[in-house]
Amino acid sequence: MEARELVLALLSLAFLPVLLIIILILVLAFMGKSLGTREAYMRLLLRIFDYGKQRIQKAEKKRTEREKEELEDMEEEEDHNESNDPQENGGLQVIERVSMLSIEEKKLPKVFSLSSLTKQFTLMDACELLNCGMEAIIEDEVTKCFAAEELPSWNLLTRTNANYHYISLRLSVMWFTGFFIRYFILLPFRVTLAVIGTLWLLLSTAVVGHFFEDGSFKRQLNDYVSLTCYRILSRSFSAIITYHDTENQAKAGGICVANHTSPIDIVILSCNNTYAMVGQSQGGFFGLMQRAMSRASDSHIWFERTEAKDRGAVLDRMRKNVGDDTKLPILIFPEGTCINNTSVMQFKKGSFEAGGIICPVAIKYDPRFGDPFWNSSKQGMVEYLIMMMTSWAIVVDVYFLPPMTRQENENAIEFANRVKAEIARKGGLVDLVWDGQLKRMKVKQAWKADQQMLYSRRFKVD
């Protein structure tokens, strides 16, 4: 009984400071201010990561030296004659990967006639192309876009070092301390803030939509409510956001397009501006949120992905919103799926057929503090949110690029590719031509036929 009373006393003592901290966070979110504690927290984490990196490098150096000494002892005992071979590593051949050869780079001798074909073509002419194909099977540039970004050093998160067993006692103590802080201190705080932010979003948008008539005051009130909601939600991930060139951000009646890494991209962008969302109609809890947002503003566009007529209606709605100063700027992720923030994949042309001004945005996350990539084919939403809330923080840079318009004699696909190239350049991402939906579907037969045709042309007989 005494132990129970002691526990209750300790909880009651801790309740007031926790409550005061939550109230302070909410007040700062409503005011759009920050005390700089998250930035100081980020700098402290960087120092800890740097210390851990040094310890890992020191342990790796000792291990390498020990293995080298063991190898030298073995070579002396066996009187190995090939000890200077750079391809040897403990008697095992090391596979060295050369730069991948594309079909365009393969130069075959020109064939002048059918009779000379047998003289000019040998089996070796196809070996490099076979090597290119085998490399693509082992590691192609598309599949690795749907895996977590690799880190140069461990950030004390187990999921970023699957092969971790034991490095040193100090690092193990640091990991256990970090685990306790993330799961038993930060996680409860973050879940509480997420619940408060979500409830505030549902309640405030319902009030704005039900009690106020359409007009400038309702739009201003909706802007304030939206900004405060997303600022609270961003604090549930300890998001540290740096906005660059905010004078280029989308205005009313414009279209904002950005690369897509995570569902929290919406939260990151909506902390600085209010946007009209375009997305698939959902059921359940997310459907409830969509309806609440639609009551506060009629600028949001929801559709059924399987309905062809809905796709046409979405484009019509977008065209009506473009250039209308009473409508919120439209936020679109043209890739249509989440990519691991190392690349930008094919942009769907529909977003660029509506006309008007396109405001590109490059979103670049710092994976050292937590990987925000959502692999929807392997992770459920709840699992993903828990992973985000148990990360150290979400550190991100948002670059607003100068507005772009479609040029004369430029079709929607060319315009989309030009915008994508600018986003990739600004964000330091790889610009890929592949469709992001390849993680859910097979390669189109037309693409296979194009590669086969390209190869067959090299054997054309005059």
Side-chain angles (χ1 to χ4, degrees), residues 255-291:
I255 298 178
C256 173
V257 297
N259 58 302
H260 197 23
T261 303
S262 160
I264 64 175
D265 292 340
I266 297 174
V267 177
I268 298 300
L269 292 175
S270 298
C271 288
N272 194 55
N273 197 8
T274 308
Y275 294 97
M277 307 300 173
V278 179
Q280 184 176 358
S281 298
Q282 303 288 341
F285 178 73
F286 288 105
L288 179 64
M289 293 184 65
Q290 287 180 341
R291 291 191 293 272

Side-chain angles (χ1 to χ4, degrees), residues 333-347:
F333 301 103
E335 289 168 299
T337 189
C338 295
I339 313 298
N340 69 354
N341 209 227
T342 62
S343 309
V344 183
M345 304 192 78
Q346 183 187 90
F347 277 10

Side-chain angles (χ1 to χ4, degrees), residues 30-310:
F30 277 96
M31 297 174 60
K33 302 295 183 180
S34 175
L35 297 178
T37 53
R38 285 174 294 171
E39 288 74 10
Y41 168 66
M42 181 183 70
R43 290 192 293 269
L44 175 61
L45 286 175
L46 286 175
R47 294 180 63 181
I48 294 174
F49 295 161
D50 185 59
Y51 173 79
K53 181 180 178 181
Q54 294 176 6
R55 298 294 302 181
I56 293 173
Q57 289 176 345
K58 185 177 180 180
E60 186 70 19
K61 183 178 179 181
K62 290 182 178 179
R63 186 183 64 84
T64 303
E65 292 177 352
R66 184 171 61 253
E67 291 179 352
K68 184 177 179 181
E69 291 176 357
E70 292 176 355
L71 179 62
E72 290 177 351
D73 294 339
M74 291 175 61
E75 290 173 348
E76 291 177 0
E77 292 176 1
E78 298 177 1
D79 193 22
H80 202 293
N81 296 326
E82 298 178 356
S83 60
N84 294 325
D85 187 358
Q87 296 294 321
E88 291 288 333
N89 183 10
L92 298 177
Q93 292 292 330
V94 178
I95 298 176
E96 290 189 351
R97 178 170 179 170
V98 296
S99 58
M100 187 170 68
L101 179 70
S102 65
I103 291 179
E104 291 83 351
E105 294 171 337
K106 176 62 182 170
K107 302 298 183 181
L108 293 177
K110 184 177 180 181
V111 177
F112 296 94
S113 64
L114 183 60
S115 59
S116 62
L117 175 62
T118 56
K119 297 179 181 179
Q120 296 188 28
F121 176 76
T122 63
L123 185 59
M124 290 297 297
D125 294 325
C127 285
E128 293 185 4
L129 292 173
L130 291 173
N131 180 53
C132 174
M134 286 187 289
E135 287 186 353
I137 293 173
I138 295 172
E139 183 183 10
D140 64 277
E141 61 183 5
V142 176
T143 304
K144 63 184 180 182
C145 294
F146 306 121
E149 184 178 355
E150 295 183 1
L151 297 178
S153 62
W154 187 34
N155 63 354
L156 300 180
L157 295 176
T158 305
R159 53 182 172 266
T160 59
N161 189 0
N163 296 323
Y164 170 74
H165 296 288
Y166 176 81
I167 298 175
S168 70
L169 178 61
R170 293 181 182 179
L171 282 182
S172 297
V173 172
M174 290 172 61
W175 183 86
F176 279 109
T177 303
F179 177 86
F180 178 83
I181 292 173
R182 289 185 292 109
Y183 280 87
F184 295 97
I185 297 178
L186 293 179
L187 180 59
F189 265 106
R190 291 170 175 175
V191 171
T192 302
L193 290 174
V195 171
I196 293 174
T198 303
L199 292 177
W200 174 247
L201 176 64
L202 294 173
L203 177 62
S204 58
T205 52
V207 171
V208 171
H210 184 74
F211 293 102
F212 295 91
E213 298 292 335
D214 293 339
S216 59
F217 178 75
K218 181 179 179 180
R219 291 194 295 271
Q220 293 176 6
L221 185 59
N222 178 60
D223 289 346
Y224 176 75
V225 164
S226 177
L227 288 173
T228 54
C229 289
Y230 286 111
R231 285 169 182 167
I232 295 173
L233 291 175
S234 71
R235 282 161 170 79
S236 67
F237 304 104
S238 297
I240 304 171
I241 313 170
T242 304
Y243 297 100
H244 305 269
D245 303 321
T246 54
E247 67 275 6
N248 294 326
Q249 66 183 2
K251 305 296 191 298
I255 298 178
C256 173
V257 297
N259 58 302
H260 197 23
T261 303
S262 160
I264 64 175
D265 292 340
I266 297 174
V267 177
I268 298 300
L269 292 175
S270 298
C271 288
N272 194 55
N273 197 8
T274 308
Y275 294 97
M277 307 300 173
V278 179
Q280 184 176 358
S281 298
Q282 303 288 341
F285 178 73
F286 288 105
L288 179 64
M289 293 184 65
Q290 287 180 341
R291 291 191 293 272
M293 294 167 63
S294 297
R295 285 195 296 268
S297 174
D298 61 354
S299 299
H300 303 289
I301 304 173
W302 313 116
F303 63 92
E304 291 292 343
R305 194 180 298 273
T306 56
E307 295 290 337
K309 61 180 181 180
D310 276 15

Side-chain angles (χ1 to χ4, degrees), residues 365-404:
Y365 291 91
D366 192 335
R368 292 176 296 177
F369 302 92
D371 182 19
F373 169 60
W374 182 37
N375 190 346
S376 56
S377 60
K378 295 183 178 180
Q379 297 171 323
M381 178 60 73
V382 175
E383 178 186 356
Y384 171 76
L385 291 177
I386 291 176
M387 187 181 74
M388 289 295 94
M389 291 184 182
T390 54
S391 296
W392 293 113
I394 299 298
V395 181
V396 57
D397 286 278
V398 179
Y399 300 92
F400 295 98
L401 281 68
M404 302 176 66

